[in-house]
Amino acid sequence: MTDMNKHQLYVERRPESNDYAVRRGASERASAVCETQAEAIARAKQLEPRSTPMVERVRNTPAGHPDKWRTP
């Protein structure tokens, strides 16, 4: 992830375990880990109720990696 704001929350898929991490920008560790993307989005909204989390798209581009971030 690039250009992350340290106060923004991001929901991303963890490839090693196929669950979802909620992270703050520029953070090495997850603030929360959830089994589904929907649960991770809900948890991110609990952690920062006044902010909209950025969510990594699950679909892949032709290059084989997730495309852009989106808001839920």
Side-chain angles (χ1 to χ4, degrees), residues 9-68:
L9 288 176
Y10 296 84
V11 173
E12 63 183 352
R13 182 176 229 165
R14 297 184 340 148
E16 66 276 2
S17 58
N18 290 322
D19 51 12
Y20 293 84
V22 178
R23 298 183 189 270
R24 293 198 182 273
S27 172
E28 300 246 343
R29 296 184 63 189
S31 298
V33 175
C34 301
E35 288 187 26
T36 67
Q37 188 179 55
E39 290 172 355
I41 291 168
R43 182 66 181 131
K45 289 179 179 180
Q46 288 175 342
L47 292 170
E48 284 290 335
R50 295 183 182 157
S51 177
T52 301
M54 296 300 292
V55 180
E56 181 180 34
R57 291 184 186 254
V58 176
R59 68 181 182 186
N60 289 327
T61 65
H65 53 79
D67 55 5
K68 301 179 186 212

